[in-house]
Amino acid sequence: MKTFCGRANPTTGSMEWLEEGEDYDYHQEIARSRYADMLHDKDRNAKYYQGIRAAVSRVKERGEKAIVLDIGTGTGLLSMMAASAGADFCYAIEVFKPMANAAVKIVEKNGFSDKIKVINKHSTEVTVGPDGDMQCRANILVTELFDTELIGEGALPTYEHAHKHLVQEGCEAVPHRATVYVQLVESRRMWSWKKLFPVHVEAEDGEKVLVPPSEMENCPGVPSVCDIQLNQMPSSDFSTLSDVVKMFSVDFSKPVQSASTYYRVQLEPVKSGKAQIVLSWWDIDVDPSGMINCSMAPYWVKPTSALQWRDHWMQCVYFLPREEPVLQGEKVYLTACRDEYSVWYNLQKARADEEEHKADVCVESPVCRCRAHLLWNRPRFGELNDQNRTRQYIKSLRKVLKTDSVCLCISDGSLLPVLAHYLGAKQVQCMQPSRIDLYHPHELWQAFFKANHLEDKIKIIEARPELLKPSHLEDKKISVLVGEPFFTTSLLPWHNLYFWYARTAVSTHLASNVTVLPQSASLHMMIVEFQDLWRIRSPCGTCEGFDVQTMDDMIKDSLNFRESKEAEPHPLWEYPCKSLSEPQEVLTFDFTKTVPQHCLSTEGSVKLLRRGKSHGAVLWMEYHLAADISVSTGLMQLSNEKGNCEWNPHCKQAVYFFSSVIESEILSDPTAVTYAINFDTKTGEIAMDFKL
Ligand code: SAH
């Protein structure tokens, strides 16, 4: 079987599909998987174990044999819990082959091979009967098939099928039930991830205000879930308009229906305000009594209980189709609609009659009609709405633009061309090549320009930089080349260096005295101790007394696959860390020149100045727009005494996890970490190596 892996090429800015051979063993999937994080989730594991023990006891007390079905066994953990709790037999189903193989090894190593049968199938393919995968139906159903949205990994259809075909009626289910909670809030910060706020520009001839077209104002956006570490959102960034209410529950011990449906609750606003966002999370009652409860509630809901950090389950942010003013005490109705895999929300002011309200509940999942939500993802909306950032670009454009400037912008979905026009450039063009997921960005831009009476002012060139022709530029040479730079295919910070490649490709069109904005970029690096993020890549050893080292080894092998240990992108505003070294500039990229043929490398050492565990290095880019004006896509601020870092909230930074952690203690003779970093100009990738 051939496997194709998609990856953006940072030198061309486009997606390439690489064919992987027979030996492709899903290393990326394993290396970046959430298994380690789940194994480190003590709260989850201990509660599942408790629930499984109780379920096995209940079945035994009835004088029955305990036959367990564990759907999605992963490492085999929940089956091993059941077996050691006294279950007579466990069927452990796992669809992902490398994991099923690992489960076999782990089960054997822990001495449960006679009690646990690992079946490498999707649960809906499992057969029951004397010649089947399972001898008989199970009377205990154990699963952990939930994502942050609860149902996004297909838990509902899996349960529906299992109740019909794989388990007995009246079976015990661990967990027993799940409940989804919601809270209505107003939040300028989170709302800025969904819609474009007006952009104010002080121009020579007065203030200009850039507004979004009306289609964008009323667009429901995209259906994909917005899952974040809500515990990192300070309470000053939102205002709660309702209490926390139960939205819906699913009882896993009874037949489950996965067909689309909706749920509705009445809310009495505790405060007047603008309803924009529904925050949501869930909990599971592992046992029927509800005594063993595992909750994803954020910090302000249960301020006294200790929060378990986890990354495999977070909280959800849902955007209402449009902002609704609500009054304190004046009831509103919140509807949750769901299909098999996702949930979305609507708010109604009045309760219509049963028949009527069926029509008014929007049962269709949100579909972006304005195309802006296809062009800009949520962090990108946030970035474009960041007024401080916009001011830096305006200030620098003002420095470099002249009335006779011929300006070309190379960046995806950028507002820079409009800013350049407002600030007086004579001729403005921007390159917006079509993308697979967004044909004809042209149409979106036309709507945008129309709303701002800019129809003939800015020209969109739907070509790729290497295909730029003099006619695109009305036979003029470019005097100002601008970019943010930002490209939708970029995964790691340095992938936006595609701007440099594009600049190189359009070289022949540049005037001899061209100004390039940004004039340069630099790569910065800092050694950090993570508060929690280290867990996702750290070996677990034993989990609830079971030896899971096989899993640790498997993750380690995958990380070292082809000896290409790589940095990975993480939005660090969600993952607090402490700096252990000074931030250091390690490489610079001169955009006034073309991309050189040779690689750019550097070596050096960085001193550990603070006591702590060195989990890894964080890397980010800074762009030098014009003299004295820079923007950082990484570190924004560093508090010196404790080393707490503030990160750009709209960007992902690169994290390179060290394979071994060192603890720095002494400050008088600081330990040094040596590094070697290489930017390969042929591939656009950065390779790095650290020695502790
Ligand atoms: N039970 C383990 C792993 C949970 S992760 C634990 O609690 O630690 C969920 C696993 O279920 C994944 O490995 C995924 O591949 C698998 N999976 C999801 N749906 C499945 C299905 N319907 N049939 C078989 N495996 C499934």
Side-chain angles (χ1 to χ4, degrees):
M1 197 177 73
K2 283 177 185 161
T3 307
F4 288 90
C5 294
R7 189 150 189 168
N9 179 337
T11 70
T12 62
S14 51
M15 285 296 281
E16 282 173 3
W17 294 91
L18 302 177
E19 189 186 323
E20 296 284 353
E22 296 277 333
D23 64 332
Y24 176 74
D25 220 2
Y26 301 96
H27 287 285
Q28 273 295 327
E29 286 81 346
I30 295 162
R32 304 282 177 260
S33 70
R34 297 168 188 270
Y35 295 106
D37 182 27
M38 292 188 284
L39 294 174
H40 281 291
D41 187 343
K42 176 81 192 151
D43 180 60
R44 176 196 89 122
N45 301 336
K47 284 170 179 167
Y48 259 87
Y49 206 172
Q50 246 183 305
I52 288 169
R53 280 200 199 99
V56 172
S57 309
R58 285 195 302 276
V59 169
K60 294 269 180 185
E61 274 161 28
R62 296 201 289 263
E64 295 169 24
K65 275 192 161 184
I67 309 296
V68 176
L69 171 63
D70 170 11
I71 303 180
T73 199
T75 53
L77 179 70
L78 305 182
S79 285
M80 294 192 293
M81 288 178 178
S84 53
D88 295 277
F89 202 78
C90 303
Y91 296 100
I93 321 296
E94 175 55 55
V95 66
F96 185 40
K97 191 161 189 341
M99 275 318 297
N101 293 343
V104 170
K105 285 190 204 144
I106 295 171
V107 163
E108 193 183 81
K109 202 168 172 193
N110 286 276
F112 292 111
S113 293
D114 58 331
K115 292 266 183 212
I116 299 173
K117 177 180 176 186
V118 178
I119 301 166
N120 176 207
K121 279 190 176 180
H122 191 268
S123 61
T124 52
E125 304 292 317
V126 170
T127 55
V128 184
D131 302 319
D133 298 312
M134 298 169 69
Q135 287 289 299
C136 61
R137 289 184 175 226
N139 54 6
I140 301 178
L141 175 56
V142 178
T143 78
E144 200 274 67
L145 300 167
F146 314 118
D147 68 345
T148 295
E149 200 176 23
L150 187 71
I151 63 170
E153 278 173 16
L156 294 178
T158 293
Y159 271 108
E160 184 170 37
H161 173 270
H163 277 287
K164 279 187 190 149
H165 303 285
L166 308 176
V167 297
Q168 297 169 19
E169 203 184 313
C171 74
E172 299 284 343
V174 183
H176 182 81
R177 100 174 57 72
T179 306
V180 171
Y181 299 84
V182 291
Q183 188 168 29
L184 197 61
V185 307
E186 170 176 343
S187 166
R188 189 179 158 83
R189 174 165 178 200
M190 287 183 263
W191 199 232
S192 83
W193 301 344
K194 185 200 172 204
K195 61 173 282 179
L196 189 71
F197 297 151
V199 181
H200 296 260
V201 186
E202 264 336 307
E204 294 289 294
D205 50 343
E207 194 197 48
K208 302 277 162 76
V209 185
L210 184 66
V211 293
S214 56
E215 300 94 287
M216 214 187 275
E217 285 288 285
N218 298 316
C219 180
V222 282
S224 61
V225 66
C226 175
D227 50 347
I228 62 164
Q229 291 282 0
L230 209 43
N231 287 320
Q232 298 308 320
M233 180 70 63
S235 54
S236 52
D237 280 354
F238 62 97
S239 150
T240 55
L241 301 180
S242 82
D243 290 330
V244 175
V245 295
K246 279 188 190 181
M247 194 72 225
F248 65 93
S249 283
V250 186
D251 180 342
F252 297 122
S253 70
K254 306 247 159 57
V256 167
Q257 254 126 41
S258 68
S260 299
T261 186
Y262 66 86
Y263 313 89
R264 170 172 270 222
V265 294
Q266 188 183 351
L267 294 178
E268 195 170 306
V270 293
K271 193 158 43 172
S272 299
K274 289 179 272 186
Q276 297 164 329
I277 305 282
V278 175
L279 299 179
S280 174
W281 55 89
W282 49 262
D283 68 10
I284 44 180
D285 285 323
V286 181
D287 66 325
S289 74
M291 296 293 283
I292 317 166
N293 179 275
C294 185
S295 170
M296 307 309 126
Y299 66 90
W300 65 91
V301 179
K302 284 187 186 159
T304 48
S305 63
L307 289 171
Q308 164 76 48
W309 184 89
R310 45 171 75 93
D311 207 41
H312 61 114
W313 293 332
M314 298 182 265
Q315 293 79 25
C316 297
V317 178
Y318 293 98
F319 304 86
L320 288 173
R322 71 195 73 79
E323 177 178 288
E324 290 287 353
V326 296
L327 290 172
Q328 183 177 352
E330 208 162 273
K331 294 187 179 81
V332 289
Y333 298 90
L334 184 68
T335 310
C337 299
R338 68 149 185 82
D339 55 20
E340 282 183 302
Y341 297 98
S342 65
V343 186
W344 59 97
Y345 286 87
N346 276 294
L347 191 73
Q348 286 94 24
K349 278 289 174 73
R351 166 152 215 150
D353 289 328
E354 272 302 308
E355 272 317 299
E356 251 176 83
H357 92 230
K358 273 192 189 139
D360 101 344
V361 170
C362 163
V363 280
E364 266 166 47
S365 101
V367 178
C368 169
R369 291 186 298 256
C370 75
R371 288 159 169 261
H373 299 92
L374 306 177
L375 178 68
W376 298 318
N377 65 13
R378 291 166 184 133
R380 179 65 170 152
F381 264 98
E383 185 170 52
L384 294 173
N385 282 321
D386 181 341
Q387 291 174 352
N388 212 359
R389 178 177 183 272
T390 305
R391 266 198 295 276
Q392 304 303 313
Y393 282 90
I394 291 176
K395 250 201 318 195
S396 354
L397 281 170
R398 201 174 270 138
K399 285 193 185 196
V400 304
L401 288 173
K402 304 199 186 77
T403 47
D404 61 351
S405 289
V406 175
C407 183
L408 176 70
C409 174
I410 305 181
S411 263
D412 286 347
S414 178
L415 301 180
L416 288 186
V418 182
L419 301 183
H421 168 73
Y422 283 157
L423 295 168
K426 183 167 141 214
Q427 184 182 324
V428 183
Q429 295 71 197
C430 73
M431 304 206 84
Q432 296 290 337
S434 293
R435 289 184 352 221
I436 293 178
D437 53 338
L438 184 71
Y439 286 118
H440 308 304
H442 215 99
E443 285 170 29
L444 165 67
W445 288 109
Q446 290 313 331
F448 196 77
F449 294 156
K450 195 159 169 230
N452 292 284
H453 312 291
L454 293 168
E455 285 100 328
D456 338 305
K457 311 287 196 255
I458 295 158
K459 186 172 159 195
I460 307 275
I461 303 170
E462 265 185 74
R464 306 181 39 76
E466 56 277 18
L467 300 177
L468 187 68
K469 293 196 210 63
S471 58
H472 285 128
L473 304 170
E474 293 167 23
D475 296 316
K476 299 226 174 58
K477 292 280 182 194
I478 300 158
S479 60
V480 181
L481 179 70
V482 300
E484 299 187 31
F486 174 90
F487 300 97
T488 49
T489 50
S490 302
L491 296 174
L492 288 159
W494 46 86
H495 292 169
N496 285 325
L497 287 175
Y498 170 60
F499 177 72
W500 202 12
Y501 291 87
R503 177 254 177 263
T504 305
V506 302
S507 286
T508 54
H509 302 280
L510 304 179
S512 56
N513 59 346
V514 66
T515 307
V516 184
L517 181 166
Q519 53 197 357
S520 65
S522 48
L523 179 71
H524 297 247
M525 189 266 291
M526 190 167 79
I527 312 289
V528 302
E529 172 184 77
F530 286 108
Q531 190 177 301
D532 300 294
L533 191 65
W534 58 271
R535 289 168 207 271
I536 67 166
R537 298 288 169 259
S538 128
C540 191
T542 60
C543 177
E544 296 298 311
F546 302 103
D547 180 344
V548 292
Q549 208 195 319
T550 306
M551 186 69 221
D552 294 339
D553 295 344
M554 194 165 137
I555 294 175
K556 206 163 118 200
D557 281 355
S558 287
L559 285 169
N560 294 330
F561 182 58
R562 291 182 190 157
E563 293 161 60
S564 61
K565 207 171 163 240
E566 289 178 23
E568 43 185 290
H570 290 284
L572 289 187
W573 73 267
E574 294 183 63
Y575 304 100
C577 62
K578 183 167 97 170
S579 79
L580 297 184
S581 75
E582 289 292 331
Q584 198 152 322
E585 183 178 300
V586 285
L587 282 176
T588 59
F589 312 93
D590 183 357
F591 296 157
T592 65
K593 307 209 170 74
T594 55
V595 178
Q597 294 290 315
H598 56 85
C599 294
L600 303 178
S601 351
T602 181
E603 283 180 4
S605 72
V606 50
K607 284 194 177 121
L608 298 180
L609 302 173
R610 240 175 239 105
R611 186 173 302 202
K613 294 190 169 81
S614 303
H615 291 128
V618 178
L619 298 103
W620 67 93
M621 298 291 287
E622 293 189 6
Y623 296 105
H624 310 294
L625 303 182
D628 304 330
I629 307 177
S630 294
V631 289
S632 170
T633 65
L635 194 65
M636 305 299 279
Q637 230 173 344
L638 190 60
S639 97
N640 262 329
E641 65 295 4
K642 290 212 180 109
N644 294 333
C645 315
E646 191 196 315
W647 298 99
N648 183 320
H650 314 300
C651 300
K652 286 184 179 175
Q653 291 75 33
V655 177
Y656 183 95
F657 287 100
F658 297 152
S659 31
S660 59
V661 170
I662 59 156
E663 275 204 70
S664 52
E665 279 292 342
I666 333 107
L667 295 179
S668 54
D669 179 22
T671 327
V673 175
T674 59
Y675 61 82
I677 296 176
N678 181 53
F679 175 61
D680 183 342
T681 52
K682 296 273 176 313
T683 62
E685 294 290 355
I686 288 184
M688 58 195 93
D689 193 24
F690 292 85
K691 290 208 169 54
L692 310 180

